Amino acid sequence: MFRFIPRHAATPLKIALALCLSLGGATSAFAQEIIPIASIQSNPSAYLDSFVTVQGQVTIPSNYIPVGAQSGWIQDDSGRGIHLFGSGASNIALRDTGNIVQLRGEVKLSGTTLGLTNITDLSTQSSGNPRKTSIQVSTGMASDTSLGGAFLQTNGTILFRTSQAPGVPGSTMSLTAPASSKCACHWR
């Protein structure tokens, strides 16, 4: 509900304050709700083509994947990760696994992988953090795309390895375990 302010008392500051109060308080009109990555991953249709604000720790730096890809991953305290790609993904804050960042991006599919693009409002919340604790999974679970970007640990026999472009750290490997589960993993 808007409040009536007499014309003689209507300064721009008073009008702005009255508008903020009518919207539920001075800060709530401008605050952006942080959405847990698990919420986006578990119900993608509710977020697809929408802009969301997330916060998480860099798990795969944006300069880690082959040159020109502009792609990385963050993981939040829900244990789920999300792919960052396209516009804004090359930001220097996304190049250090010790960084916890907050950003706004549009939920889109990159092939079959759910992620955020058109990244804006990116800020580093803290830096120098220890790497997230890995989640122990089977090789079959490690290939589950819904766990993309999460820092996982698995055990298996290396079937084959593909190196990245010269000067780019990391490898893509295919693993198998005694139960014949397979996964393709990327690490350095």
Side-chain angles (χ1 to χ4, degrees):
M1 170 187 267
F2 291 99
R3 296 188 172 118
F4 174 74
I5 300 175
R7 183 180 172 109
H8 67 280
T11 65
L13 179 58
K14 288 180 183 177
I15 292 170
L17 182 57
L19 180 58
C20 285
L21 290 173
S22 70
L23 293 173
T27 57
S28 67
F30 304 105
Q32 293 182 14
E33 177 186 5
I34 295 174
I35 306 294
I37 294 172
S39 296
I40 299 167
Q41 292 286 13
S42 65
N43 191 8
S45 61
Y47 297 97
L48 202 57
D49 299 323
S50 299
F51 278 84
V52 295
T53 299
V54 296
Q55 181 172 307
Q57 185 165 347
V58 176
T59 54
I60 299 177
S62 63
N63 63 337
Y64 180 67
I65 309 240
V67 178
Q70 296 185 1
S71 178
W73 293 79
I74 63 170
Q75 177 182 336
D76 67 9
D77 291 335
S78 72
R80 299 295 295 274
I82 196 157
H83 185 213
L84 308 174
F85 64 98
S87 176
S90 63
N91 188 297
I92 196 156
L94 298 173
R95 295 182 181 178
D96 186 341
T97 57
N99 286 350
I100 293 176
V101 296
Q102 182 175 314
L103 57 92
R104 186 164 175 76
E106 185 177 11
V107 180
K108 290 281 191 185
L109 285 171
S110 173
T112 60
T113 304
L114 191 66
L116 300 177
T117 190
N118 299 318
I119 297 166
T120 62
D121 302 334
L122 190 145
S123 62
T124 302
Q125 302 299 299
S126 64
S127 59
N129 298 289
R131 179 173 274 221
K132 287 202 161 285
T133 304
S134 62
I135 301 166
Q136 180 71 39
V137 297
S138 68
T139 55
M141 282 298 297
S143 64
D144 183 344
T145 58
S146 71
L147 295 174
F151 185 43
L152 305 176
Q153 179 179 342
T154 191
N155 296 311
T157 303
I158 297 173
L159 296 177
F160 65 89
R161 174 182 173 201
T162 305
S163 296
Q164 300 302 320
V168 177
S171 298
T172 299
M173 299 186 189
S174 181
L175 302 177
T176 187
S180 296
S181 299
K182 293 183 182 179
C183 76
C185 306
H186 185 88
W187 70 77
R188 59 179 178 192

